[in-house]
Amino acid sequence: MTEMLENALKIILVISTIILSYKIGKIVVFYFFTIKKWSEIEGTITSYETVYFRSKTDSDTEGWKEAVTYNFKVNMIEYQGNCITKNLNILFPFKEQAKQNNFKKGQKIQIYYNPKDPNQSVLENKFDLMSIILPFGVLIIFYFVIF
């Protein structure tokens, strides 16, 4: 490998590490600090399906993912949410692989919401360690393959 190409790959690796650290840091802060201040309430699943996703900005980003909507009431005002998790999500190549949950329309579920802004809500309140292991594992493999 030429020295210039090697330097460019090192820069890409450093930038990728910084971006991933920022994204993972946001997830860690959310699950270890922010969600602890959120309230919990019962809500209802209004729709659940597995949908095909294709990025509008990146033609390589496509695959199957879960799509859910749920309703809940706070102070007699009804809110609607669609966020399952703040952890890193993976798009799957096959529809059946993407079904991580088994929600049913009308199912009662626990919802975590921001009491200062109930429009912010999520179904999952636990940090997934794979949100750290997977991206940094890929970076480490990339590093050893390139260098």
Side-chain angles (χ1 to χ4, degrees):
M1 240 186 275
T2 68
E3 187 176 331
M4 195 163 118
L5 179 59
E6 219 174 275
N7 287 336
L9 290 173
K10 286 178 183 177
I11 291 170
I12 290 170
L13 187 62
V14 168
I15 291 171
S16 298
T17 303
I18 291 169
I19 291 169
L20 272 175
S21 297
Y22 172 76
K23 287 188 72 70
I24 291 168
K26 281 179 59 174
I27 294 168
V28 168
V29 166
F30 178 78
Y31 279 110
F32 286 98
F33 301 105
T34 305
I35 202 165
K36 303 247 187 267
K37 299 173 189 164
W38 284 22
S39 299
E40 183 177 350
I41 196 164
E42 186 176 88
T44 306
I45 298 290
T46 56
S47 71
Y48 173 70
E49 62 183 326
T50 309
V51 296
Y52 193 77
F53 173 81
R54 174 175 272 150
S55 174
K56 292 180 172 99
T57 58
D58 179 8
S59 62
D60 291 336
T61 304
E62 59 184 296
W64 293 93
K65 69 176 191 168
E66 293 177 300
V68 65
T69 49
Y70 49 87
N71 290 342
F72 60 101
K73 284 186 179 179
V74 176
N75 298 325
M76 304 296 287
I77 300 171
E78 189 162 330
Y79 294 91
Q80 184 177 60
N82 62 4
C83 183
I84 297 174
T85 183
K86 297 285 187 178
N87 287 303
L88 292 179
N89 289 324
I90 298 172
L91 295 173
F92 293 91
F94 302 106
K95 187 175 186 176
E96 290 304 311
Q97 289 176 319
K99 291 184 180 181
Q100 303 293 308
N101 298 288
N102 195 22
F103 296 124
K104 304 276 188 246
K105 186 174 181 179
Q107 176 183 347
K108 300 293 183 196
I109 48 151
Q110 287 307 114
I111 296 166
Y112 303 89
Y113 70 94
N114 183 348
K116 293 178 182 174
D117 181 8
N119 287 307
Q120 297 176 358
S121 62
V122 66
L123 298 181
E124 190 175 271
N125 72 336
K126 293 191 173 40
F127 176 71
D128 183 2
L129 194 56
M130 289 306 288
S131 290
I132 292 176
I133 294 171
L134 188 65
F136 282 114
V138 169
L139 276 178
I140 290 168
I141 290 169
F142 176 73
Y143 177 80
F144 284 114
V145 167
I146 299 302
F147 304 108

